[in-house]
Each structure stands twice: as structure tokens, then as C-alpha cells.
Amino acid sequence: MKDMSVFALFSTLGALLAIALGVMFPALAMGRAISRALDALARQPEAEKSILRALFIGLAMVESLAIYVLVIVLIVLFRNPLLAYLLK
Amino acid sequence: MEQSQVIFRIGALLVTSTVAMTWGIMAILVLACWFGTRQLKQSPDRWQSALEGVVLTMQQAIEDIAPGKSPSLLPFIGSLWIYLVFANLAGLVPGLHSPTGQLSVTSGLAILVFLATHWFGIRASGWLPYLRHYVQPSPILLPFNIISEISRTLALAVRLFGNIMSLEMAALLVLLVAGLLVPVPLLMLHVVEALVQAYIFGVLALVYIAGGLEAHATDRADGDSPP
């Protein structure tokens, strides 16, 4: 049973650490992208449509990185494939 | 992450709640469009002008990204947009789940986009010029081009699935720890996120297809194919 508690402890810690890092860096990237887009918007307000479209696509790209982390974390927490070896 | 339960079976075919939801959405959309376009008039009534507004807006959005290509692209991209809006928002109805919260559904849509990219690209430029754009800047980039094709399809599927699934799960978790009516702000976020994700999926499909279409037109020196 000791194995089990160590396993639970480390997978929880790993998941928390992963989601913390995986949210932090995309947040920085999104902030940079938005600030640059606002710069461009202030300089060229007439190009608003194309700037915003590129911004949305870029934000979706960056955001999907955080989503990958979330999916991995959920797999580790709820459907950990390594658990089968431990229970055997 | 939960599996969808089986509702009924046709022979050896299991019909899960996800498939049933998809069929329901399809039936609603087809019936709405059929009733809306049964008797078209010069001076449109309310329903017809609403439908026309939707179609014209989508046509304009496609025209902005791929100029001159909207007649051929509108059926595919427009269907994606309309279906995804309804599918993403369906999770807000009590008792129903978004079909796009299942990885199999979004994978199917992403594979459709993957195939459509090549279909439109080959139809526009022919086999050889289309295949040549994979070795375009230099043949060394061939593996990277192929990897980018696969990874962007995967990213398309996982992005939509992850967003919709995590929204439903977040609302559920807040309901678990906080109680009734507390998840309502999260559900409002769900509305925004569902619309944005539907838009993003369609726009990315459009960008990929437009990239395949103009593969022969220019040697794309910038070499952008987002992952």
C-alpha cells in the first residue's frame, strides 16, 4: 500500500506542477501577442480586421498549448496508464 | 473523459449518445434550412433574411482570407461553422452533452479538414504541382512538411476537444465544491468559448485549405504552416 501512496503523491505533485508551468508560459505568450496586436492597432487602426483575425488565430494556437497540458494532466490524474503495472 | 453510453443498437452497430446528439443536431439544421428555403421570395420574410444574413457573413469571412474562392469553399467551411456552433452550445442544454467534447468526434472533423486540404489543393493545381510544394524551398524540408501536416491535424482535434471537455468539467467541479448556481458565470464563459472555438476551427480549416490552394501560385518563401 506504501507504493500506492507514493504513486498518488507523485502523480498529484507532477500534475500540479505541470499545470502551473503549462499555464504560466502560454499566459506570458498570450500577453505578449495581445500587447503587440494593440500596438499595431494603435498604429494602424484601419487594419483592425486583419490584425484581429491574426490575433485570434495566434491566441488559439497559444491556447492550445495550455490545453495539451490540461489533457495530459487529466490523463495522469484520472486514467494513468502506469497504474496498471502497479496494481498487477 | 467519460465514455458516452450506448443508447440503442442497430444490428452490430452501437449508437452512443454522442452519435445520437450529432444526428439530432443534423436533423434540426437540415429541417431549419429546408423550411427556410422552401419558398424563396424576392422580398424575404424574417426567416429567409436571417438565413441569408448568416450565409452572407460567412461568405464575406471566407472572401477576406481566400479571395475569389468562396463559391467552392463556402459549403464545406460553412457547414463546419454552423455545425460546430450548435454542437458546442448543445452542452448548455441540461441533460445533453456536447458531441465535440468527445475526442472521436473532433478527430473525425479534423480528418475531414486534412482530406479537404489535399482535395482542394489537388483540384486547384493538379497532382504534380501540388505534391511538389512539399519539397518547395528545398527537399531537406520534406519530413518537416509532412510532420507539420500531421501535427496540425492532431492539434485541430485536440484543441476543440480539450476546450469543450474542460469547460464542461470545470463547471462540474465548481458545482461539486461550491453548489447550485455558482457555476453560472462559468457557463456564461462556456457560451463565449463555444462560439470562439467554432470560429477558430473553421478559420484554421480555411487557412490550411487556402494554403493548399495557393501552393502552386507562389513559392511560399515565408514557409508558414502553423503547427
Side-chain angles (χ1 to χ4, degrees):
Chain A
M1 221 50 233
K2 184 150 181 306
D3 281 352
M4 203 58 202
S5 61
V6 170
F7 182 80
L9 175 69
F10 275 103
S11 56
T12 312
L13 276 182
L16 291 178
L17 198 65
I19 197 75
L21 288 175
V23 168
M24 203 164 80
F25 290 107
L28 288 176
M30 284 171 105
R32 285 187 63 141
I34 293 171
S35 79
R36 286 299 172 85
L38 286 180
D39 273 355
L41 208 55
R43 219 166 281 153
Q44 277 184 303
E46 69 274 8
E48 182 194 0
K49 260 181 119 175
S50 55
I51 290 174
L52 283 187
R53 195 174 59 226
L55 176 68
F56 268 116
I57 295 175
L59 284 186
M61 292 282 173
V62 175
E63 190 205 8
S64 63
L65 298 178
I67 295 288
Y68 297 156
V69 175
L70 179 71
V71 170
I72 298 288
V73 163
L74 289 179
I75 288 174
V76 167
L77 284 182
F78 293 111
R79 292 276 168 83
N80 198 327
L82 300 177
L83 198 57
Y85 293 104
L86 193 63
L87 291 179
K88 203 160 22 177
Chain B
M1 296 240 104
E2 72 271 27
Q3 296 293 317
S4 53
Q5 71 270 30
V6 177
I7 293 182
F8 59 92
R9 48 172 70 219
I10 307 171
L13 206 64
L14 300 176
V15 176
T16 59
S17 58
T18 311
V19 178
M21 272 299 295
T22 311
W23 285 349
I25 292 169
M26 276 159 55
I28 289 172
L29 290 180
V30 167
L31 281 182
C33 292
W34 185 64
F35 278 119
T37 55
R38 218 163 30 146
Q39 28 191 263
L40 294 174
K41 290 190 279 291
Q42 248 337 303
S43 60
D45 54 357
R46 270 189 219 171
W47 191 232
Q48 189 186 338
S49 25
L51 288 183
E52 280 180 2
V54 171
V55 172
L56 281 180
T57 311
M58 292 192 303
Q59 196 174 12
Q60 189 57 47
I62 294 174
E63 201 65 30
D64 284 344
I65 296 180
K69 298 293 194 309
S70 64
S72 58
L73 291 183
L74 182 63
F76 181 60
I77 305 287
S79 317
L80 273 183
W81 264 328
I82 296 177
Y83 169 70
L84 283 177
V85 164
F86 277 81
N88 291 352
L89 286 178
L92 288 174
V93 181
L96 299 182
H97 290 290
S98 294
T100 41
Q102 299 282 338
L103 188 53
S104 42
V105 176
T106 57
S107 309
L109 291 173
I111 289 170
L112 267 183
V113 172
F114 175 78
L115 295 178
T117 311
H118 304 303
W119 166 254
F120 283 111
I122 291 171
R123 276 221 326 195
S125 51
W127 281 95
L128 271 184
Y130 180 73
L131 290 180
R132 199 175 294 135
H133 96 269
Y134 281 105
V135 290
Q136 206 41 271
S138 88
I140 306 170
L141 290 180
L142 176 66
F144 299 103
N145 279 331
I146 293 173
I147 290 173
S148 118
E149 288 279 330
I150 296 169
S151 77
R152 75 187 190 187
T153 307
L154 194 70
L156 208 57
V158 175
R159 177 181 307 119
L160 185 60
F161 154 73
N163 273 296
I164 302 301
M165 186 266 307
S166 66
L167 278 172
E168 279 189 1
M169 192 174 265
L172 200 67
L173 285 178
V174 172
L175 184 67
L176 228 59
V177 291
L180 199 63
L181 290 186
V182 185
V184 169
L186 269 179
L187 293 181
M188 290 173 181
L189 185 68
H190 192 147
V191 176
V192 178
E193 192 73 18
L195 295 179
V196 168
Q197 287 306 320
Y199 173 72
I200 292 287
F201 193 96
V203 164
L204 285 179
L206 185 54
V207 168
Y208 296 158
I209 291 174
L213 277 178
E214 61 197 31
H216 69 299
T218 50
D219 292 354
R220 284 154 55 87
D222 46 359
D224 61 334
S225 52

